[in-house]
Amino acid sequence: MGAEEHGSTRERILAVALELFGARGYEGTSIRDIADRMGMTKAAVYYHFPAKESLLAELLGPATTRIAGVLAAHGPATDPPRRRALVEALVDVVGDVGPQVVVLLSDPAVGPHLPALTAEGSLPTRVAAALLGPLPDDPQEAADARVRAACAIGCLPAGVQAWRRDRPGSTSLDQRTRTVLVQTVLAVLEAGGPRSLDR
């Protein structure tokens, strides 16, 4: 098998795996499912990827690397303009890596694998900490802020899934959808501050 054909087969396996992971979930997709869809044997898939986790690492690697880079470049959101810039950069990553990858990142079965893929702890936790910036001193207000951050992060895959239902087959987010995602994440982060909860 030549290098070009080897690369092409790997790319096709990755594309099929991403499609099946998106449709059935990571846990609900086996190497046999991927092989059957490809018209290959399991051994042929294993020749290219020694384990299902290897497929996951290759599919999510570019996204997790980009997100880690955004977090390093922007640092924690210490004021509204920095928070907006961070959210815009994260939404750009979502738009660039493709909706199927974003949905895969939100799969609960994938969560336990993320620390190994990012080598720096839980990526959602790191994103939430960056979005929050310094937490309030009051423990209840800090807990409230963490809830808002978790909900804001959840907006991204939920929004992408809604977008996919309206545009099946599309592989990149349009600018209008990116703007809606930014506005929604910011609205959730800023909603329900301490004063509004005490009313």
Side-chain angles (χ1 to χ4, degrees), residues 17-58:
L18 183 58
E19 178 188 337
L20 291 176
F21 291 161
R24 302 178 184 180
Y26 178 71
E27 197 67 35
T29 303
S30 67
I31 292 293
R32 158 110 21 237
D33 295 329
I34 295 166
D36 288 348
R37 177 69 64 89
M38 296 282 303
M40 303 170 73
T41 64
K42 281 173 54 176
V45 175
Y46 281 125
Y47 171 80
H48 295 279
F49 297 95
K52 191 165 81 164
E53 291 79 9
S54 304
L55 281 163
L56 184 66
E58 190 132 351

Side-chain angles (χ1 to χ4, degrees), residues 147-167:
V147 169
R148 285 195 299 274
C151 292
I153 292 167
C155 288
L156 292 174
V160 168
Q161 285 177 322
W163 174 85
R164 283 179 73 195
R165 280 193 294 275
D166 289 336
R167 294 166 184 83

Side-chain angles (χ1 to χ4, degrees), residues 1-150:
M1 177 182 296
E4 189 175 316
E5 185 181 343
H6 177 80
S8 172
T9 302
R10 279 180 61 84
E11 293 304 313
R12 285 180 27 241
I13 292 170
L14 286 168
V16 167
L18 183 58
E19 178 188 337
L20 291 176
F21 291 161
R24 302 178 184 180
Y26 178 71
E27 197 67 35
T29 303
S30 67
I31 292 293
R32 158 110 21 237
D33 295 329
I34 295 166
D36 288 348
R37 177 69 64 89
M38 296 282 303
M40 303 170 73
T41 64
K42 281 173 54 176
V45 175
Y46 281 125
Y47 171 80
H48 295 279
F49 297 95
K52 191 165 81 164
E53 291 79 9
S54 304
L55 281 163
L56 184 66
E58 190 132 351
L59 288 168
L60 295 185
T64 57
T65 299
R66 290 267 316 269
I67 292 169
V70 164
L71 296 179
H74 287 266
T78 53
D79 56 48
R82 286 182 68 137
R83 182 171 290 115
R84 174 174 279 281
L86 175 57
V87 170
E88 287 174 348
L90 289 170
V91 168
D92 284 344
V93 172
V94 168
D96 293 345
V97 301
Q100 287 178 297
V101 172
V102 176
V103 171
L104 183 56
L105 274 168
S106 67
D107 183 335
V110 169
H113 298 280
L114 287 177
L117 297 178
T118 61
E120 295 185 46
S122 170
L123 195 60
T125 301
R126 290 176 55 222
V127 171
L131 289 172
L132 288 173
L135 285 170
D137 292 332
D138 179 87
Q140 185 57 58
E141 289 181 18
D144 295 344
R146 283 191 288 272
V147 169
R148 285 195 299 274

